[in-house]
Coordinates of all heavy atoms in Angstrom, one line a residue:
D1 N -10.3 -3.5 -1.6 CA -11.1 -3.9 -0.4 C -11.5 -2.8 0.5 O -10.6 -2.1 0.9 CB -10.3 -5.1 0.2 CG -11.0 -5.7 1.5 OD1 -12.1 -6.2 1.2 OD2 -10.5 -5.6 2.5
E2 N -12.7 -2.6 0.7 CA -13.1 -1.5 1.5 C -12.5 -1.5 2.9 O -12.1 -0.4 3.5 CB -14.7 -1.5 1.7 CG -15.2 -0.3 2.3 CD -16.7 -0.3 2.4 OE1 -17.4 -0.8 1.4 OE2 -17.3 0.1 3.4
G3 N -12.4 -2.6 3.5 CA -11.7 -2.7 4.8 C -10.3 -2.1 4.8 O -9.8 -1.4 5.8
V4 N -9.6 -2.5 3.9 CA -8.2 -2.1 3.7 C -8.1 -0.6 3.6 O -7.3 0.1 4.3 CB -7.5 -2.7 2.5 CG1 -6.2 -2.1 2.2 CG2 -7.3 -4.3 2.8
L5 N -9.0 0.0 2.8 CA -9.0 1.4 2.5 C -9.4 2.2 3.7 O -9.2 3.4 3.8 CB -9.8 1.7 1.3 CG -9.2 1.2 0.0 CD1 -10.1 1.6 -1.1 CD2 -7.8 1.8 -0.3
K6 N -10.1 1.6 4.7 CA -10.4 2.3 6.0 C -9.4 2.2 7.0 O -9.1 3.1 7.8 CB -11.8 1.7 6.5 CG -13.0 2.1 5.7 CD -14.2 1.4 6.4 CE -15.4 1.9 5.6 NZ -16.6 1.3 6.2
L7 N -8.7 1.1 7.0 CA -7.7 0.8 8.1 C -6.3 1.3 7.8 O -5.6 1.8 8.7 CB -7.6 -0.7 8.4 CG -8.9 -1.3 9.0 CD1 -8.8 -2.9 9.0 CD2 -9.3 -0.7 10.2
V8 N -5.8 1.0 6.5 CA -4.4 1.3 6.3 C -4.0 2.7 6.2 O -3.0 3.2 6.8 CB -4.0 0.6 4.9 CG1 -2.6 0.9 4.5 CG2 -4.2 -1.0 5.0
P9 N -4.8 3.6 5.5 CA -4.4 5.1 5.4 C -4.1 5.7 6.7 O -3.2 6.4 6.8 CB -5.5 5.6 4.6 CG -6.0 4.6 3.7 CD -5.9 3.3 4.6
P10 N -4.9 5.6 7.7 CA -4.7 6.1 9.0 C -3.4 5.6 9.7 O -2.6 6.4 10.2 CB -5.9 6.0 9.8 CG -7.1 5.5 8.9 CD -6.4 5.0 7.8
A11 N -3.2 4.3 9.5 CA -1.9 3.7 10.1 C -0.7 4.3 9.3 O 0.3 4.7 9.9 CB -2.1 2.2 9.9
V12 N -0.8 4.4 8.1 CA 0.3 4.9 7.3 C 0.6 6.4 7.6 O 1.7 6.8 7.8 CB 0.1 4.8 5.7 CG1 1.1 5.6 4.9 CG2 0.3 3.4 5.5
S13 N -0.5 7.2 7.7 CA -0.3 8.6 8.0 C 0.3 8.7 9.5 O 1.1 9.5 9.7 CB -1.8 9.3 8.2 OG -2.3 9.3 6.8
R14 N -0.2 7.9 10.4 CA 0.5 7.9 11.7 C 1.9 7.6 11.7 O 2.7 8.2 12.4 CB -0.3 7.0 12.7 CG 0.2 7.0 14.0 CD 0.0 8.3 14.9 NE 0.6 8.3 16.1 CZ 0.0 7.9 17.3 NH1 -1.3 7.5 17.3 NH2 0.6 8.0 18.4
A15 N 2.3 6.5 11.0 CA 3.7 6.1 10.9 C 4.6 7.1 10.3 O 5.6 7.4 10.7 CB 3.7 4.8 10.2
L16 N 4.1 7.8 9.2 CA 4.8 8.8 8.5 C 5.0 10.0 9.5 O 6.1 10.6 9.5 CB 4.2 9.3 7.3 CG 4.2 8.2 6.2 CD1 3.3 8.8 4.8 CD2 5.6 7.9 5.7
A17 N 3.9 10.5 10.1 CA 4.0 11.5 11.2 C 5.0 11.2 12.2 O 5.8 12.0 12.6 CB 2.6 11.9 11.6
D18 N 4.9 10.0 12.8 CA 5.9 9.7 13.8 C 7.3 9.7 13.4 O 8.2 9.9 14.2 CB 5.5 8.3 14.4 CG 4.2 8.3 15.2 OD1 3.7 9.3 15.5 OD2 3.8 7.1 15.5
A19 N 7.6 9.3 12.1 CA 9.0 9.3 11.5 C 9.3 10.6 11.0 O 10.5 10.9 10.5 CB 8.9 8.4 10.5
G20 N 8.4 11.6 11.0 CA 8.7 13.0 10.5 C 8.9 13.0 9.0 O 9.7 13.8 8.4
V21 N 8.1 12.0 8.2 CA 8.3 12.0 6.8 C 6.9 12.5 6.2 O 5.8 12.1 6.6 CB 8.5 10.6 6.3 CG1 8.4 10.5 4.9 CG2 9.8 10.1 7.0
E22 N 7.0 13.3 5.1 CA 5.9 13.8 4.4 C 5.4 12.7 3.4 O 6.3 12.1 2.8 CB 6.1 15.2 3.7 CG 6.4 16.2 4.7 CD 5.1 16.6 5.4 OE1 4.0 16.6 4.9 OE2 5.3 16.9 6.6
P23 N 4.1 12.4 3.1 CA 3.8 11.6 2.1 C 4.4 11.9 0.8 O 4.8 10.8 0.1 CB 2.3 11.7 2.0 CG 1.9 12.2 3.3 CD 3.1 13.2 3.8
S24 N 4.6 13.0 0.4 CA 5.2 13.4 -0.9 C 6.7 12.9 -0.9 O 7.3 13.0 -2.0 CB 5.2 14.9 -1.2 OG 5.7 15.6 -0.1
D25 N 7.3 12.7 0.2 CA 8.7 12.3 0.3 C 8.9 10.8 0.0 O 10.0 10.3 -0.2 CB 9.4 12.6 1.6 CG 9.5 14.2 1.8 OD1 9.6 14.8 0.8 OD2 9.4 14.5 3.0
V26 N 7.8 10.0 0.0 CA 7.9 8.6 -0.2 C 8.2 8.3 -1.6 O 7.5 8.7 -2.5 CB 6.6 7.8 0.3 CG1 6.7 6.4 -0.1 CG2 6.3 8.1 1.7
S27 N 9.3 7.5 -1.9 CA 9.7 7.2 -3.3 C 9.2 5.8 -3.7 O 9.2 5.5 -4.9 CB 11.2 7.4 -3.5 OG 11.9 6.7 -2.7
S28 N 9.1 4.9 -2.7 CA 8.7 3.5 -3.0 C 7.7 3.1 -2.1 O 7.9 3.2 -0.9 CB 10.0 2.6 -2.9 OG 10.9 3.0 -4.0
F29 N 6.5 2.6 -2.7 CA 5.4 2.1 -1.8 C 5.1 0.7 -2.4 O 4.6 0.6 -3.6 CB 4.3 3.0 -1.8 CG 3.1 2.5 -1.1 CD1 3.1 2.4 0.3 CD2 1.9 2.1 -1.7 CE1 2.0 2.0 1.0 CE2 0.9 1.6 -1.0 CZ 0.9 1.6 0.4
C30 N 5.3 -0.4 -1.6 CA 4.9 -1.7 -2.0 C 3.9 -2.3 -1.1 O 4.3 -2.5 0.1 CB 6.2 -2.5 -2.0 SG 6.0 -4.1 -2.8
F31 N 2.7 -2.5 -1.5 CA 1.6 -3.0 -0.8 C 1.3 -4.3 -1.3 O 0.8 -4.5 -2.4 CB 0.3 -2.0 -0.8 CG -0.7 -2.5 0.1 CD1 -0.6 -2.0 1.4 CD2 -1.8 -3.1 -0.4 CE1 -1.6 -2.4 2.3 CE2 -2.9 -3.5 0.6 CZ -2.8 -3.1 1.8
P32 N 1.4 -5.4 -0.5 CA 1.1 -6.7 -1.0 C -0.3 -7.0 -1.2 O -1.2 -6.8 -0.3 CB 1.6 -7.7 0.2 CG 1.6 -6.8 1.4 CD 1.9 -5.4 0.8
S33 N -0.7 -7.3 -2.4 CA -2.1 -7.5 -2.8 C -2.2 -8.4 -4.0 O -1.5 -8.0 -5.0 CB -2.9 -6.3 -2.8 OG -4.3 -6.5 -3.3
T34 N -3.1 -9.3 -4.1 CA -3.3 -9.9 -5.4 C -4.5 -9.3 -6.2 O -4.9 -9.7 -7.3 CB -3.7 -11.4 -5.2 OG1 -4.8 -11.5 -4.3 CG2 -2.5 -12.2 -4.6
F35 N -5.1 -8.2 -5.6 CA -6.2 -7.5 -6.3 C -5.6 -6.4 -7.1 O -4.9 -5.4 -6.6 CB -7.2 -6.9 -5.2 CG -7.9 -8.0 -4.4 CD1 -7.5 -8.1 -3.1 CD2 -8.9 -8.7 -5.0 CE1 -8.0 -9.1 -2.3 CE2 -9.5 -9.6 -4.2 CZ -9.2 -9.9 -2.8
P36 N -5.8 -6.4 -8.4 CA -5.2 -5.4 -9.2 C -5.7 -4.0 -8.8 O -7.0 -3.8 -8.5 CB -5.9 -5.7 -10.7 CG -6.2 -7.1 -10.5 CD -6.6 -7.4 -9.1
G37 N -4.9 -3.0 -8.8 CA -5.3 -1.7 -8.5 C -5.3 -1.3 -7.1 O -5.4 -0.2 -6.7
L38 N -5.4 -2.3 -6.1 CA -5.5 -1.9 -4.8 C -4.4 -1.3 -4.2 O -4.4 -0.2 -3.5 CB -5.8 -3.2 -3.9 CG -6.0 -3.0 -2.4 CD1 -7.2 -2.0 -2.2 CD2 -6.3 -4.3 -1.7
P39 N -3.0 -1.6 -4.6 CA -1.9 -0.8 -4.1 C -2.0 0.7 -4.5 O -1.7 1.5 -3.6 CB -0.8 -1.6 -4.8 CG -1.2 -3.0 -4.9 CD -2.7 -2.8 -5.3
A40 N -2.4 0.9 -5.8 CA -2.5 2.3 -6.2 C -3.7 3.0 -5.4 O -3.4 4.2 -5.1 CB -2.8 2.3 -7.7
A41 N -4.7 2.3 -5.2 CA -5.9 2.9 -4.4 C -5.3 3.3 -3.0 O -5.8 4.3 -2.5 CB -7.0 2.1 -4.4
V42 N -4.7 2.3 -2.4 CA -4.1 2.6 -1.0 C -3.2 3.7 -1.0 O -3.3 4.6 -0.2 CB -3.5 1.3 -0.4 CG1 -2.7 1.6 0.9 CG2 -4.5 0.2 -0.3
A43 N -2.2 3.8 -1.9 CA -1.3 4.9 -2.1 C -2.0 6.2 -2.2 O -1.7 7.3 -1.5 CB -0.3 4.7 -3.2
K44 N -3.0 6.3 -3.1 CA -3.8 7.5 -3.3 C -4.5 7.9 -2.0 O -4.4 9.1 -1.7 CB -4.8 7.3 -4.3 CG -5.5 8.5 -4.7 CD -6.5 8.3 -5.9 CE -7.3 9.6 -6.2 NZ -8.1 9.4 -7.3
A45 N -5.0 6.9 -1.3 CA -5.9 7.3 -0.1 C -4.8 7.7 1.0 O -5.2 8.5 1.9 CB -6.6 6.0 0.4
C46 N -3.5 7.3 1.0 CA -2.5 7.8 1.9 C -1.9 9.1 1.5 O -1.0 9.6 2.2 CB -1.5 6.7 2.0 SG -2.0 5.1 2.7
G47 N -2.2 9.6 0.3 CA -1.5 10.9 -0.2 C -0.2 10.7 -0.7 O 0.6 11.6 -0.9
L48 N 0.2 9.4 -1.1 CA 1.5 9.1 -1.6 C 1.5 9.4 -3.1 O 0.5 9.2 -3.8 CB 1.9 7.6 -1.2 CG 1.8 7.2 0.2 CD1 2.1 5.7 0.3 CD2 2.8 8.0 1.0
P49 N 2.6 9.6 -3.6 CA 2.7 9.8 -5.1 C 2.5 8.6 -5.9 O 2.8 7.5 -5.5 CB 4.3 10.3 -5.3 CG 4.7 10.6 -3.9 CD 3.9 9.9 -2.8
A50 N 1.7 8.8 -6.9 CA 1.4 7.6 -7.8 C 2.7 6.9 -8.3 O 2.7 5.6 -8.4 CB 0.5 8.0 -9.0
S51 N 3.6 7.7 -8.4 CA 4.9 7.2 -9.0 C 5.6 6.3 -7.9 O 6.6 5.6 -8.2 CB 5.9 8.3 -9.4 OG 6.1 9.2 -8.3
S52 N 5.3 6.4 -6.7 CA 5.8 5.6 -5.7 C 5.4 4.2 -5.7 O 6.1 3.2 -5.0 CB 5.7 6.2 -4.3 OG 4.3 6.1 -4.0
V53 N 4.3 3.7 -6.2 CA 3.8 2.4 -6.2 C 4.5 1.5 -7.1 O 5.0 1.7 -8.2 CB 2.3 2.4 -6.7 CG1 1.6 1.1 -6.7 CG2 1.5 3.3 -6.0
R54 N 5.0 0.4 -6.3 CA 5.8 -0.6 -7.0 C 5.0 -1.9 -7.3 O 4.1 -2.2 -6.5 CB 7.0 -1.1 -6.1 CG 7.9 0.2 -5.7 CD 8.5 0.6 -6.9 NE 9.4 1.8 -6.8 CZ 9.2 3.0 -7.4 NH1 8.1 3.1 -8.2 NH2 9.9 4.0 -7.1
D55 N 5.4 -2.6 -8.3 CA 4.7 -4.0 -8.6 C 5.0 -5.0 -7.5 O 6.2 -5.3 -7.2 CB 5.2 -4.3 -10.0 CG 4.5 -5.6 -10.5 OD1 3.6 -6.0 -9.9 OD2 4.9 -6.0 -11.6
T56 N 3.9 -5.6 -7.0 CA 4.1 -6.6 -6.0 C 4.2 -8.1 -6.7 O 4.3 -9.1 -6.0 CB 3.0 -6.6 -5.1 OG1 1.8 -6.9 -5.7 CG2 2.9 -5.3 -4.2
L57 N 4.0 -8.1 -7.9 CA 4.0 -9.4 -8.8 C 2.7 -10.2 -8.5 O 2.6 -11.4 -8.9 CB 5.2 -10.1 -8.6 CG 6.6 -9.5 -9.1 CD1 7.7 -10.4 -8.8 CD2 6.5 -9.2 -10.6
G58 N 1.8 -9.6 -7.6 CA 0.6 -10.4 -7.3 C -0.3 -10.9 -8.4 O -0.8 -11.9 -8.4
E59 N -0.4 -10.1 -9.5 CA -1.1 -10.3 -10.6 C -0.5 -11.4 -11.4 O -1.0 -12.2 -12.1 CB -1.3 -9.1 -11.5 CG -2.3 -8.1 -10.8 CD -2.6 -6.9 -11.7 OE1 -3.0 -7.1 -12.8 OE2 -2.3 -5.9 -11.3
K60 N 0.9 -11.4 -11.4 CA 1.6 -12.5 -12.3 C 1.9 -13.8 -11.5 O 1.8 -14.8 -12.2 CB 3.1 -11.8 -12.5 CG 2.9 -10.5 -13.5 CD 4.3 -10.0 -13.7 CE 4.1 -8.8 -14.5 NZ 4.5 -7.5 -13.9
V61 N 2.2 -13.8 -10.3 CA 2.5 -15.0 -9.5 C 1.6 -15.3 -8.4 O 1.6 -16.4 -7.8 CB 3.9 -15.0 -9.0 CG1 4.9 -14.8 -10.1 CG2 4.1 -13.9 -8.0
G62 N 0.6 -14.5 -8.1 CA -0.4 -14.8 -7.0 C 0.1 -14.5 -5.7 O 1.2 -13.9 -5.6
E63 N -0.3 -15.1 -4.6 CA 0.2 -15.0 -3.2 C 1.4 -15.8 -3.1 O 1.3 -17.1 -3.3 CB -0.9 -15.4 -2.3 CG -0.5 -15.3 -0.8 CD -0.1 -13.8 -0.4 OE1 -0.9 -13.0 -0.5 OE2 1.1 -13.8 0.0
A64 N 2.5 -15.2 -2.9 CA 3.7 -15.9 -2.7 C 4.2 -16.0 -1.4 O 5.3 -16.2 -1.1 CB 4.8 -15.1 -3.6
G65 N 3.3 -15.7 -0.4 CA 3.7 -15.7 1.1 C 4.0 -17.1 1.4 O 3.9 -18.2 0.6
A66 N 4.1 -17.4 2.7 CA 4.3 -18.6 3.4 C 3.1 -19.6 3.3 O 2.0 -19.1 3.3 CB 4.8 -18.5 4.8
A67 N 3.4 -20.8 3.2 CA 2.3 -21.8 3.1 C 1.5 -21.7 4.4 O 2.1 -21.5 5.5 CB 2.8 -23.2 2.9
H68 N 0.2 -21.9 4.5 CA -0.6 -22.0 5.7 C -0.9 -23.4 6.1 O -1.1 -24.2 5.3 CB -2.0 -21.3 5.4 CG -1.8 -19.9 5.1 ND1 -1.7 -18.9 6.0 CD2 -1.6 -19.2 3.9 CE1 -1.5 -17.7 5.4 NE2 -1.5 -17.8 4.1
A69 N -0.8 -23.7 7.5 CA -1.0 -25.0 8.0 C -2.5 -25.3 8.0 O -3.4 -24.5 8.3 CB -0.3 -25.2 9.3

């Protein structure tokens, strides 16, 4: 999603900078999404290692969040 790729990377970069953590130091990145490939695209845009991306099970079980009223 184009909006996600515009908004999330700057926020992640700022959070990492504030915490004094380099993107290359991230070992696990879990981004909730039911869109295949989006977590990897977000990680790449954030400069995170491809090996840090974790499966969110979105493709297997769909959106598993709380029910909406």
Side-chain angles (χ1 to χ4, degrees):
D1 179 60
E2 186 177 320
V4 169
L5 291 175
K6 286 183 180 178
L7 297 172
V8 174
V12 169
S13 293
R14 176 72 186 265
L16 291 174
D18 287 352
V21 176
E22 294 294 322
S24 60
D25 294 333
V26 174
S27 60
S28 292
F29 178 71
C30 187
F31 187 81
S33 176
T34 56
F35 297 106
L38 186 57
V42 171
K44 182 177 180 179
C46 294
L48 304 176
S51 61
S52 69
V53 179
R54 301 292 174 244
D55 184 5
T56 63
L57 298 178
E59 292 181 55
K60 296 177 182 118
V61 298
E63 180 58 61
H68 298 271

